[in-house]
Structure formats: C-alpha cells, structure tokens
C-alpha cells in the first residue's frame, strides 16, 4: 500500500486504523469544517459563543485521542484539531481538569518560534486558546480550557510506518535530525540559563502534566545545560506529518522549551519512545523489537553538534 494515502475512501480493510480512518490521516475536502476566520484568536462575546458552538460539534465519533484522568480529549473536526474535556463528567457534574492554560500558552509561543526557522515544514496555526463556558446537554460545564488549531494535511509517520521500507525509515530519521538541528540553532534571548519551557508552568511538577521521572530529568538540582537551545521535546512518530517521502509538518508543541541536546535526548529515549523491557513477555523477534525502537536513537547522531557548539 502507498504509505501516504490519506483519503479514507482508499484505505484498505487490512489497515490497522481502518475503523478510525481520520486518525493520523487528513485529506482535505471542500465540504470539511473550516473555522470562521473573523473569530480567530478573538475573545469577544460573539467569538466565545462561536468557539463554544464549535466544541459542541465534537463528539465521540470524531475523537482521535481519549483523555487520561484530568486530561483533554483530542478531536479531528474537518480542517481543525480540538483539545477539550467537555465530554467528561466527574462526581456531581464537576470535572477536575489539569490547568492547561500554561501548556496552550507554551504551544502558541513555541509555534511562533518554530516558524522563524523551519523551512518547508509546516507547524499548525492556532485559532483559539482559552476558557469557555460550554452549555452541552446534559452537562453544564464552566471554564474548560480549549485549544483549537489547524489540522495539517498528510499522514502521521506512525500510521505510515508499517508500509515504509527501511530506506524510507532511515530517510525520515535523517530529516527529523535535520529539523532538530535547525531548532537547536535558536538560543534563549532573555538571559535564562536554567532548563525551562518557553512559557513556564509554576505547577509543572505537581499538576499531572509530566511524571516524576520526566520532572527529575528536566528540573533536577543540576538544572543547567551549556548548550541550552530550543527543542520540540515531543518528537514522536505521531507528531510528524509526512507525505511523498518528506516530513511536511510537526505538531503538538506544548512541551517545547529550552533544553540541552543531551537532556532532550534522554527525555526522548526514556519517556517518549518504547522501552525494550516493556516487551519482555511479548515473545517478539529481535527484528520486530528493533523496528519498534527504531526512533529511540533520534538524538544520537547530533551529539557532536552540541559538543562543537559548547567548545566554540
């Protein structure tokens, strides 16, 4: 099968995502939902009502990622991706949600930074980020943090992966490394020296957005990297959008920040990618295990870049 088929009408019955054909694939159509541009990043009363009506269109049939406890579902609505917890109801109609306002502010600023350096790789436009009062029968929901952003056409690299040759996989790894190097050229301009997100979340270690291991790696007592630079910090297969053997988009920038290459690589290897020990009882061949962990060494080829920069 062509790895880059994004039209749901052309996905074979044998595809593992055939039952959720909008997951990891986007083929734009004229009759898709498109946002009303007059409301983009507007907080007027009319615009807030409009964005609430957009969230109202999001139901389980278009949900591509169900939320963990306290998290937000992710919906694919036409040309948009929407993050919202409006379908969740906890005791007495109240939902305890992680405060995503810092995550969304981080994503907005990180996307703006990435646009300044990435050439030929799209990042999503952010259409709205803020709290909404959602009046959805039977729920009455106050102050849900909602993010609405552009959906980039193409196929998620994780979805294309089973259909790629080894040569294609290697090419995508090299393209990803080049993207990381481009991002790594961006240094903090405000004098900050400690590792940090673009927009710092004062409660990041306690609010559930990251686990204890990630918090320890990023924010230990030795919280200084000599080569501290801008990085995506969540460069998983599913966040890479590909088409015709090219990485055409990179999404999900909420974890982006200023970290050293070695630190970002440790997060990638230990947090973002599968670990061999997870499959110890799965009776998988070494070839299968190597394919599952193919993306784990993404940062390994760039260590010399960081060393040269620090020494110079």
């Amino acid at each position: 099968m062509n790895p880059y088929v994004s039209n749901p009408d052309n996905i074979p019955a044998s595809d593992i995502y055939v039952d959720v054909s909008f997951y990891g694939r986007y083929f734009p159509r004229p009759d898709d939902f498109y946002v009303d541009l007059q409301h983009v990043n507007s907080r007027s009363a009319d615009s807030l009502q409009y964005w609430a009506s957009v969230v109202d269109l999001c139901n389980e049939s278009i949900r591509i990622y169900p939320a963990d406890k306290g998290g937000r579902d992710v919906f694919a609505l036409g040309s948009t991706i929407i993050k919202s917890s409006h379908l969740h109801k906890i005791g007495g109609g109240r939902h305890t949600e992680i405060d995503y306002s810092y995550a969304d502010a981080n994503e907005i600023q990180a996307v703006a930074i990435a646009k300044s350096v990435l050439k030929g790789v799209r990042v999503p436009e952010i259409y709205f980020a803020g709290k909404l009062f959602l009046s959805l029968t039977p729920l009455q929901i106050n102050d849900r943090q909602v993010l609405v952003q552009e959906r980039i056409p193409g196929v998620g690299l994780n979805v294309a992966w089973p259909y790629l040759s080894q040569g294609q996989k290697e090419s995508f790894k090299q393209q990803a490394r080049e993207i990381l190097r481009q991002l790594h050229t961006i240094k903090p301009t405000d004098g900050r020296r400690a590792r940090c997100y673009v927009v710092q979340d004062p409660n990041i270690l306690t609010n559930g957005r990251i686990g204890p291991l990630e918090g320890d790696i990023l924010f230990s007592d030795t919280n200084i990297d000599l080569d501290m630079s801008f990085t995506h910090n969540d460069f998983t297969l599913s966040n890479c959008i590909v088409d015709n053997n090219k990485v055409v988009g990179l999404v999900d920038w909420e974890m982006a920040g200023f970290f050293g290459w070695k630190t970002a690589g440790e997060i990638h290897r230990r947090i973002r990618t599968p670990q061999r020990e997870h499959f110890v009882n799965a009776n998988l061949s070494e070839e299968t295990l190597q394919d599952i962990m193919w993306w784990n060494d993404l940062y390994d080829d760039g260590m010399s870049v960081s060393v040269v920069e620090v020494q110079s």
Side-chain angles (χ1 to χ4, degrees):
M1 173 180 160
N2 180 348
Y4 312 114
V5 169
S6 56
N7 188 334
D9 298 334
N10 298 330
I11 299 172
S14 58
D15 186 87
I16 60 176
Y17 298 110
V18 68
D19 292 335
V20 281
S21 57
F22 47 83
Y23 169 79
R25 293 182 169 104
Y26 180 44
F27 180 77
R29 300 175 185 269
D31 60 349
D32 280 347
F33 171 83
Y34 290 89
V35 301
D36 186 340
L37 296 181
Q38 69 175 316
H39 296 296
V40 170
N41 293 321
S42 171
R43 294 176 179 272
S44 70
D46 286 346
S47 292
L48 292 177
Q49 185 175 6
Y50 169 77
W51 291 119
S53 72
V54 170
V55 173
D56 200 8
L57 299 174
C58 298
N59 53 45
E60 292 180 354
S61 70
I62 60 170
R63 181 167 58 186
I64 56 175
Y65 288 111
D68 294 325
K69 182 179 179 181
R72 297 184 294 188
D73 295 321
V74 181
F75 303 89
L77 176 64
S79 65
T80 63
I81 293 292
I82 298 172
K83 298 181 181 181
S84 172
S85 65
H86 66 280
L87 295 186
H88 295 269
K89 179 180 180 181
I90 296 179
R94 299 184 62 83
H95 176 81
T96 303
E97 180 184 81
I98 294 170
D99 181 4
Y100 283 98
S101 60
Y102 293 102
D104 291 348
N106 196 76
E107 180 136 7
I108 291 169
Q109 293 200 26
V111 162
I113 294 172
K115 284 181 179 179
S116 70
V117 69
L118 293 182
K119 308 301 179 186
V121 177
R122 293 178 60 183
V123 295
E125 297 290 340
I126 308 298
Y127 297 134
F128 176 80
K131 294 186 181 295
L132 293 174
F133 175 83
L134 303 172
S135 222
L136 306 173
T137 304
L139 304 182
Q140 298 290 323
I141 305 171
N142 286 296
D143 294 334
R144 293 294 176 90
Q145 181 72 24
V146 172
L147 180 73
V148 184
Q149 62 183 8
E150 177 187 15
R151 188 179 179 191
I152 296 176
V155 179
L157 185 51
N158 62 319
V159 173
W161 197 257
Y163 307 107
L164 298 175
S165 68
Q166 287 300 110
Q168 288 172 311
K169 292 175 182 178
E170 183 60 36
S171 174
F172 279 125
K173 184 183 287 184
Q174 295 307 320
Q175 291 179 56
R177 285 171 170 165
E178 178 56 29
I179 292 170
L180 287 172
R181 292 189 189 101
Q182 291 177 37
L183 297 176
H184 192 69
T185 63
I186 302 175
K187 310 299 180 182
T189 59
D190 56 3
R192 64 178 82 183
R193 295 180 55 82
R195 301 178 197 130
C196 58
Y197 299 107
V198 182
V199 175
Q200 299 192 59
D201 182 342
N203 302 309
I204 190 64
L205 296 177
T206 58
N207 63 12
R209 285 185 58 207
I210 64 174
L213 176 59
E214 185 168 353
D216 185 59
I217 294 171
L218 290 178
F219 305 116
S220 62
D221 292 338
T222 56
N223 184 17
I224 294 176
D225 291 325
L226 296 179
D227 66 329
M228 196 166 68
S229 303
F230 183 60
T231 188
H232 181 274
N233 197 32
D234 195 10
F235 213 123
T236 60
L237 295 176
S238 61
N239 285 334
C240 295
I241 310 301
V242 300
D243 190 26
N244 292 328
N245 295 326
K246 299 290 185 183
V247 176
V248 298
L250 187 57
V251 302
D252 205 357
W253 292 81
E254 73 171 68
M255 305 305 293
F258 292 97
F259 309 106
W261 188 279
K262 183 178 179 180
T263 299
E266 187 174 4
I267 290 293
H268 180 79
R269 285 187 299 273
R270 299 179 66 184
I271 308 292
R272 308 290 187 235
T273 53
Q275 308 299 303
R276 179 179 286 269
E277 56 266 28
H278 296 165
F279 304 95
V280 66
N281 296 319
N283 196 29
L284 300 176
S285 69
E286 181 61 24
E287 181 181 5
T288 299
L289 284 170
Q290 289 294 328
D291 188 65
I292 290 172
M293 297 185 295
W294 177 266
W295 206 244
N296 293 35
D297 65 350
L298 184 62
Y299 284 80
D300 291 5
D301 191 51
M303 292 300 292
S304 59
V305 175
S306 299
V307 171
V308 169
E309 289 180 353
V310 171
Q311 291 176 343
S312 63

